[in-house]
């Protein structure tokens, strides 16, 4: 039998409650009917445990067959009134037979006698206990239903988050690929050798990213290695005009972050920053760990006389959405521009593989 009510711990607590009730009734029999303690215990405890099993199984299946959310209250009350009355009558009959057997087993002892008033009291107690058991079953089933619904809702949220992460992750490859192919196309007519080198670098880059999964985070050192390969691709086109510098603080290389979360930032820095300057410039990556936070900054030189960027491009928006999907409000990304520099600051929880 399944269900949270019939888990081992719940069954033990259920039978313990009925055992305590049996001891209480045995004490009342001793106090009110002048029966002996031994005969009272022998009469009450087995009888209560037997009725506990009968009530438990009967009420459980009826509660499953007549859920409150799908049945009329009148029909449910009628079914349980009939079932409780039938179970109580059978319990009274069993009690009378058990009392006779106890009297035969314990001759000369002050045994319990099942008189008509006592049988009527047993019947009322039996109906009440059956109804209480049914209420307990309904509560347990409702709790189990709510827990399953919560688990399903959590699973749906996780699936939706995973789908969103995959969608955002797949936006990166075409965006970067289109830009790289345009660059290769431009180099083909100018310098076929450099175009070939860039094609090989591009193939190596995508080969390295094939194993990355959108919902599995990578260490910062792996992300920086991908950035180095990406910069090597761009340096085929820009040559000495493009410089890349990385400053990784202590304890940052093992921190985890979504794969290729920094690549769009560096790509934007190259395309909108270095690419707009005749003399070129540098892209600088800085990572620092402050307690439970990881701070990452990507900054690049820009043309002070060029058109200001609005900050609403695919790369920056993609980064913002991926951080929101992965960390919620625990992560943020902001960008600023001064006269000669464009800066993107990212802050996210400092997670490592051992945490």
């Amino acid at each position: 039998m399944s269900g949270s009510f019939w888990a081992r711990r719940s069954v033990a607590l259920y039978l313990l409650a009925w055992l305590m009730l049996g001891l209480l009734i045995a004490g009342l029999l001793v106090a009110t009917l002048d029966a002996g303690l031994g005969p009272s215990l022998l009469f009450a405890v087995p009888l209560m445990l037997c009725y506990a099993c009968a009530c438990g199984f009967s009420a459980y299946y009826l509660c499953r067959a007549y859920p409150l959310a799908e049945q009329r209250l009148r029909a449910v009350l009628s079914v349980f009134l009939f079932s409780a009355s039938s179970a109580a009558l059978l319990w009274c009959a069993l009690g009378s037979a058990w009392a006779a057997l106890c009297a035969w087993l314990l001759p000369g002892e002050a045994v319990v006698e099942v008189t008509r008033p006592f049988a009527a009291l047993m019947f009322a107690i039996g109906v009440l206990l059956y109804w209480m058991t049914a209420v307990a079953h309904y509560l347990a089933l409702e709790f189990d239903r709510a827990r399953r619904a919560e688990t399903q809702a959590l699973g749906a949220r996780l699936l939706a988050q995973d789908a969103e992460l995959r969608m955002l992750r797949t936006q990166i490859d075409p965006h970067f690929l289109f830009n790289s192919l345009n660059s290769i196309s431009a180099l083909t007519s100018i310098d076929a050798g450099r175009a070939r080198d860039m094609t090989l670098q591009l193939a190596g880059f995508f080969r390295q990213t094939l194993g990355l999964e959108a919902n599995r985070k990578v260490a910062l050192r792996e992300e920086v290695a991908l950035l180095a390969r990406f910069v090597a691709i761009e340096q085929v086109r820009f040559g000495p005009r493009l410089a890349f510098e990385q400053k990784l603080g202590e304890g940052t290389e093992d921190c985890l972050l979504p794969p290729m979360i920094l690549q769009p930032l560096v790509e934007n820095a190259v395309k909108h920053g270095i690419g707009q300057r005749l003399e070129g410039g540098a892209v600088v990556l800085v990572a620092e760990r402050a307690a439970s936070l990881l701070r990452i900054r990507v900054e690049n030189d820009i043309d002070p006389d060029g058109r200001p960027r609005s900050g609403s491009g695919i790369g920056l928006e993609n980064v913002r959405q991926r951080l929101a999907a992965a960390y919620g409000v625990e992560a943020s990304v902001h960008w600023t521009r001064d006269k000669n520099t464009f800066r993107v600051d990212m802050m996210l929880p400092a997670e490592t593989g051992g945490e």
Side-chain angles (χ1 to χ4, degrees), residues 18-36:
W18 280 82
L19 177 61
M20 297 299 294
L21 187 58
L23 295 176
L24 177 61
I25 291 180
L28 292 176
L29 293 176
V30 173
T32 57
L33 299 182
D34 295 330

Side-chain angles (χ1 to χ4, degrees), residues 249-252 255 287-296 346-351:
E250 183 179 357
T252 61
C255 291
E288 298 176 345
R289 181 168 182 175
S292 61
L293 294 177
L294 175 64
R295 297 175 179 174
I296 299 177
M346 182 190 308
M347 185 173 296
L348 60 156
E351 302 174 351

Side-chain angles (χ1 to χ4, degrees), residues 155-304:
R157 288 197 298 269
L158 291 176
L159 288 175
Q161 184 186 70
D162 181 68
E164 182 179 4
L165 287 172
R166 291 180 183 275
M167 179 194 69
L168 294 171
R169 170 66 175 81
T170 54
Q171 289 179 0
I172 296 175
D173 292 343
H175 185 57
F176 168 55
L177 179 61
F178 294 153
N179 291 337
S180 299
L181 290 178
N182 288 333
S183 300
I184 293 173
S185 176
L187 284 174
T188 302
S189 58
I190 301 174
D191 190 335
R194 292 171 61 194
R196 181 178 180 276
D197 292 341
M198 189 171 185
T199 303
L200 294 176
Q201 291 280 10
L202 184 63
F205 176 83
F206 278 107
R207 187 181 298 111
Q208 188 172 354
T209 60
L210 282 178
L212 298 178
E213 298 182 15
N215 59 341
R216 182 170 297 177
K217 297 173 183 177
V218 299
L220 179 61
R221 65 164 62 90
E222 299 178 41
E223 185 76 358
V224 172
L226 280 174
L227 290 179
R229 185 177 286 272
F230 167 77
V231 172
I233 294 173
E234 294 293 347
Q235 284 176 335
V236 175
R237 177 161 59 106
F238 288 95
R241 293 175 55 211
L242 173 59
F244 179 67
E245 183 180 356
Q246 58 186 33
K247 302 176 181 178
L248 305 182
E250 183 179 357
T252 61
E253 293 188 357
D254 294 327
C255 291
L256 302 178
L257 66 167
M260 293 188 72
I261 194 73
L262 301 179
Q263 186 271 339
L265 303 181
V266 177
E267 181 181 355
N268 279 349
V270 174
K271 178 181 178 181
H272 300 287
I274 310 305
Q276 305 300 320
R277 291 167 55 94
L278 293 177
E279 67 276 22
V283 178
V284 181
L285 171 68
V286 181
E288 298 176 345
R289 181 168 182 175
S292 61
L293 294 177
L294 175 64
R295 297 175 179 174
I296 299 177
R297 171 179 295 177
V298 177
E299 60 182 19
N300 60 275
D301 298 322
I302 59 174
D303 185 358

Side-chain angles (χ1 to χ4, degrees), residues 126-141:
V127 171
L128 180 62
L129 290 176
Y130 191 97
W131 277 59
M132 291 176 63
T133 304
V135 170
H137 276 297
Y138 271 127
L139 291 175
L141 290 173

